[in-house]
Amino acid sequence: MPTLRQLFLANNAQTTNFPLLLEFERAEGVYMFDKQGRGFIDLISGIGVSNLGHSHPYVINAIKDQLDKYMHLMVYGEYVQTPQVKYAEKLISILPENLQSVYFTNSGAEAVEGALKLAKRFTGRQQIVAFHHSYHGSTHGALSVMGNEEFKQAYRPLLPGVTFARFNDMNDLELITDQVACVIVETIQGEAGIQVPDKTYMQALRKRCDKTGTLLILDEIQAAFGRTGKLFAFEHFAIVPDILLLAKAMGGGMPLGAFIASDDIMSALKENPILGHITTFGGHPVCCAAGLAALEALIDEDLLTGVAEKEALFRKLLVHPAIKDIRGKGLMLAIEFESFGLNKKIIDRCIENGVITDWFLHCSSSMRIAPPLIITPAQIETACAVIMETVNFYS
């Protein structure tokens, strides 16, 4: 009888020749448990998904309640489905007034695809400005605006008309002209190793888009829902996008994304042609029920309060000559080492010792720190002790 691991390797498509092959039976709070019952502290939240931790009871109950009513009924946008309506209403109530129309998708990559189509359709322009070292997903359109040639060169030709600017560089704002349909940018760059832009730069970017009639798309797929200490990362910069992209933590652990714009912009998908963007499972009622419950729990349990203090604790405890830098905002942090080789050794030993972390696609010398927002100071101290022991072991 083959083991589960053997079946996984035999039957499940692999994305590398060296998968982690970690096998967990259950997860709760900030811990994931293997078959022997050993708990691992999750410092990456499934890459920014589990902001409330694993198996939050409010989310679980919302899923069970919706399962008793109905699951899939019809492609998105045709039927009035209570979970979609209530979640959209809640999102709009906490967003700026120009973000008033929610298009639910299955994932962040699909939100990117929909937003790029929407911007081109609304403006009638074809050119796009994206950024070096950006990451927006792995579908063809998302790859086209990814700022890392290594990850996309094998899939060319991609979308034409994409120009890449340097992130946080005022000089490159001149690349945004009245021929550009949209600028797509992560409010805080994630896979680049958590790069936080200057407030003055983000405000200048907003002004440049206004001047040229270019739509500003902010990708907050990783950064939203309290990850940075605010509900939405753009609040740190006192700007508002024309189109906002959400996913990851949006579904409370279920697959869900969205692009959000004004009624005027979003209405461009209604005609010439009709059904300008279609999805079968986007806005799945169970996913929307889970996402709404997660957002309500995030607000009701006041989980944003304390994020800055937890960031400060990580920064206080993770001090060592081998640590070259700690970048980020809130619980979206990167620890910089001198090389990928050292970083990978430290990550692997941390996992062996019960702390789950990883590296960044476009910044392999940095370790990701993005735990569930519910992590306690004591749990932070435990995780940091493991990291520091490992850093000392290799220093």
Side-chain angles (χ1 to χ4, degrees):
M1 175 75 72
T3 65
L4 194 63
R5 178 176 294 191
Q6 290 170 330
L7 290 170
F8 169 79
L9 291 171
N11 302 327
N12 291 69
Q14 306 295 306
T15 55
T16 72
N17 290 318
F18 42 88
L20 285 173
L21 293 177
L22 298 170
E23 189 175 339
F24 297 111
E25 286 210 327
R26 66 184 183 89
E28 183 176 350
V30 301
Y31 294 96
M32 298 183 290
F33 298 90
D34 64 15
K35 296 178 102 174
Q36 289 72 44
R38 182 188 180 200
F40 292 72
I41 296 177
D42 183 1
L43 283 191
I44 57 175
S45 305
I47 314 298
V49 170
S50 305
N51 282 13
L52 266 63
H54 300 279
S55 303
H56 191 287
Y58 195 34
V59 176
I60 297 299
N61 289 336
I63 291 171
K64 290 178 177 178
D65 183 57
Q66 183 58 40
L67 285 173
D68 288 335
K69 295 174 181 175
Y70 58 83
M71 292 196 290
H72 178 72
L73 298 180
M74 179 58 167
V75 296
Y76 176 74
E78 293 299 318
Y79 293 171
V80 179
Q81 301 185 53
T82 299
Q84 292 175 356
V85 173
K86 287 188 174 181
Y87 197 8
E89 180 185 32
K90 182 67 175 180
L91 285 167
I92 289 167
S93 75
I94 59 174
L95 284 167
E97 62 181 11
N98 69 301
L99 298 173
Q100 57 198 188
S101 182
V102 180
Y103 193 115
F104 289 111
T105 65
N106 301 286
S107 67
E110 188 187 332
V112 170
E113 299 287 342
L116 294 177
K117 288 171 59 180
L118 177 60
K120 292 167 78 172
R121 176 69 185 86
F122 180 77
T123 63
R125 305 173 184 179
Q126 288 80 46
Q127 295 183 26
I128 297 169
V129 170
F131 288 83
H132 293 294
H133 310 300
S134 61
Y135 181 81
H136 300 287
S138 293
T139 50
H140 259 70
L143 274 179
S144 301
V145 293
M146 178 195 287
N148 187 320
E149 188 62 24
E150 177 185 356
F151 282 91
K152 66 184 189 180
Q153 54 83 25
Y155 305 103
R156 291 191 177 278
L158 297 169
L159 285 180
V162 180
T163 300
F164 286 90
R166 290 167 293 183
F167 188 65
N168 204 33
D169 189 314
M170 290 286 194
N171 294 321
D172 280 7
L173 294 180
E174 295 299 319
L175 295 172
I176 306 168
T177 71
D178 59 9
Q179 300 301 304
V180 175
C182 62
V183 172
I184 181 167
V185 59
E186 297 160 274
T187 312
I188 295 174
Q189 282 196 328
E191 296 309 308
I194 316 300
Q195 302 293 334
V196 182
D198 298 328
K199 184 175 181 179
T200 52
Y201 170 77
M202 294 300 282
Q203 293 183 342
L205 174 62
R206 174 69 273 181
K207 290 179 180 177
R208 182 66 181 176
C209 289
D210 289 340
K211 181 178 180 180
T212 60
T214 301
L215 298 185
L216 177 59
I217 302 173
L218 290 187
D219 179 341
E220 299 216 355
I221 289 166
Q222 284 196 55
F225 298 103
R227 176 57 48 195
T228 67
K230 292 186 179 293
L231 277 174
F232 303 100
F234 64 75
E235 297 177 61
H236 292 288
F237 304 99
I239 63 169
V240 177
D242 297 299
I243 305 175
L244 177 65
L245 307 182
L246 301 174
K248 290 192 179 289
M250 183 182 190
M254 297 291 283
L256 187 64
F259 56 102
I260 306 175
S262 68
D263 285 333
D264 183 44
I265 293 173
M266 197 69 81
S267 66
L269 297 178
K270 292 180 180 179
E271 55 187 9
N272 297 323
I274 64 168
L275 303 174
H277 193 68
I278 314 171
T279 172
T280 298
F281 292 111
H284 191 282
V286 178
C287 299
C288 284
L292 175 59
L295 178 56
E296 290 177 339
L298 179 70
I299 295 170
D300 294 347
E301 296 175 16
D302 196 21
L303 293 180
L304 273 68
T305 299
V307 168
E309 288 79 4
K310 292 171 183 178
E311 174 192 353
L313 183 56
F314 272 111
R315 290 181 180 273
K316 176 184 176 182
L317 296 174
L318 296 175
V319 176
H320 192 280
I323 296 175
K324 304 303 181 183
D325 190 19
I326 299 181
R327 297 181 301 275
K329 189 175 285 292
L331 292 176
M332 187 177 181
L333 301 171
I335 304 174
E336 181 76 22
F337 295 103
E338 66 179 13
S339 67
F340 171 67
L342 177 59
N343 188 33
K344 185 66 164 60
K345 288 179 180 178
I346 292 170
I347 289 169
D348 289 346
R349 185 175 172 88
C350 283
I351 293 173
E352 290 174 4
N353 292 321
V355 173
I356 304 291
T357 182
D358 75 339
W359 44 280
F360 297 90
L361 285 179
H362 306 336
C363 186
S364 62
S365 60
S366 290
M367 174 191 289
R368 188 190 309 267
I369 301 290
L373 307 186
I374 63 169
I375 195 169
T376 66
Q379 290 165 339
I380 292 173
E381 291 174 0
T382 298
C384 287
V386 171
I387 294 171
M388 292 304 294
E389 183 278 330
T390 307
V391 173
N392 282 321
F393 181 84
Y394 287 111
S395 297

